[in-house]
Amino acid sequence: MSAQLRLAQPDDLARLMGLVAAFHAEVGIDQSPEQRETALQPLLEGIPHGCIYLIGPARAPLGYIILTFGWSVEFGGMDAFVDEIYIRPAVRRRGIASETLLELPKALATGGIKAVHLEVDREDSAAQKLYLRSGFKPRERYMLMSRVLG
């Protein structure tokens, strides 16, 4: 698999910080390096609420995908949410994200995950096409709503 996935570990923090900073700059997420590290570190240390996979070669990852876990009565058990997925611009449009989004849910299903969710910008038709090709379907009756606390 060209989109080889490897569970990120604490010693991957420096590589990951650069990738996440690039993604956040691209999509306009305003977060300090300290805030970013505080959010990533527990995932790298193995908290049960999520995980990070690096995509591609260990020494020079092509991107990453961050998953968070929850429980859904509707879907009958544990579910996952794609919090972030990022592929370096220089290697985009080579099928890496598609391969990741097709293979990872298979592995998650063997681990008991019942559903995988993600959100997509309503104006980003390219991302919507990618997600549709990868088996994700819009839930026409629902929209993701958030309330920031604190």
Side-chain angles (χ1 to χ4, degrees):
M1 165 158 94
S2 63
Q4 178 182 3
L5 298 174
R6 183 177 65 80
L7 192 60
Q9 303 295 318
D11 60 342
D12 292 311
L13 180 62
R15 274 186 285 280
L16 194 56
M17 287 286 288
L19 290 168
V20 175
F23 173 66
H24 286 185
E26 186 175 311
V27 298
I29 296 173
D30 184 25
Q31 192 177 57
S32 72
E34 294 78 19
Q35 291 171 312
R36 195 171 294 123
E37 184 174 342
T38 298
L40 294 171
Q41 196 69 49
L43 293 169
L44 296 172
E45 292 171 355
I47 64 165
H49 307 294
C51 63
I52 304 170
Y53 286 94
L54 292 173
I55 302 168
R59 292 182 182 240
L62 305 175
Y64 68 90
I65 186 167
I66 298 175
L67 299 165
T68 58
F69 303 121
W71 190 266
S72 171
V73 173
E74 177 183 355
F75 291 102
M78 203 148 115
D79 61 354
F81 198 99
V82 176
D83 187 59
E84 295 185 5
I85 182 169
Y86 175 75
I87 305 295
R88 291 179 188 270
V91 295
R92 288 183 187 162
R93 307 224 182 277
R94 297 183 186 180
I96 296 166
S98 294
E99 191 173 339
T100 299
L101 291 170
L102 286 169
E103 294 302 317
L104 186 59
K106 293 175 190 174
L108 293 173
T110 65
I113 302 293
K114 303 295 185 184
V116 180
H117 316 281
L118 54 75
E119 66 179 321
V120 61
D121 186 321
R122 293 179 196 273
E123 306 299 317
D124 191 342
S125 60
Q128 290 177 31
K129 287 178 186 174
L130 164 67
Y131 299 143
L132 286 167
R133 281 193 317 267
S134 300
F136 289 86
K137 295 178 175 66
R139 300 188 69 199
E140 299 297 338
R141 291 183 40 213
Y142 303 96
M143 88 170 112
L144 180 69
M145 298 176 71
S146 302
R147 179 177 174 186
V148 178
L149 306 177

